[in-house]
Structure formats: C-alpha cells, structure tokens
Amino acid sequence: MFAVTSVAIAITMALALIRAIKGPTQYDRILAVNMFGTKTVLLLAVLAFLIGRPDFLDLALAYALVNFIGVLAVLEFFKIKAGGAD
C-alpha cells in the first residue's frame, strides 16, 4: 500500500515539475515549486516508514523548513521587484 502511495506522490511531483516549467505566470511556477517541495517531504516520510528508518523524518522536517523559508524569500524578491515594497 505504501509503495502505491510512493508512486502516486512521484507522479504528482512530475506534474508539479511540468507546471513549474510551463507555468503561465511566475506565481504559478513558485506555487508548483512549493508543491514539489511539499511532495518531497511526503515522499521522504513514506520512504522512512517503508524502509524502517524513522530518522529520515528529521530530514523531512528540515527540508520542509528550508522549502518554506525559500518560498517566502522568493515571493519577497518578486514583491520588491514588482515595486510593491512597503
């Protein structure tokens, strides 16, 4: 069952990657990259359970934090670039 879940997550990661490449706007691309990072965290968690290595969950949490901070930084960059600085 978890192997099927891993395959489904990998498929959605591929779709997110396609959206990140072909996205009509920059914000669509940023959202797709954020979704790809979230799916990576989910895949790490499922794989940690599959192979019996719960220490991978620490890596997943660290990656989630880096993904969140990175997306916020990119969005702030685009906000400043668009002239919306406060």
Side-chain angles (χ1 to χ4, degrees):
M1 185 65 180
F2 289 105
V4 174
T5 304
S6 297
V7 170
I9 292 172
I11 290 170
T12 59
M13 288 173 73
L15 292 173
L17 193 58
I18 290 170
R19 175 54 66 192
I21 293 170
K22 291 186 174 182
T25 66
Q26 292 175 344
Y27 294 108
D28 289 331
R29 291 184 174 109
I30 293 168
L31 183 64
V33 169
N34 186 21
M35 186 173 74
F36 187 85
T38 303
K39 297 296 180 181
T40 303
V41 171
L42 287 172
L43 188 61
L44 274 172
V46 170
L47 288 178
F49 184 78
L50 273 176
I51 63 176
R53 299 275 312 258
D55 50 333
F56 280 7
L57 293 176
D58 294 337
L59 293 173
L61 287 172
Y63 188 79
L65 182 62
V66 168
N67 181 43
F68 176 70
I69 298 299
V71 168
L72 286 179
V74 169
L75 285 173
E76 187 66 28
F77 172 75
F78 283 119
K79 179 181 165 188
I80 291 172
K81 186 177 173 184
D86 294 330

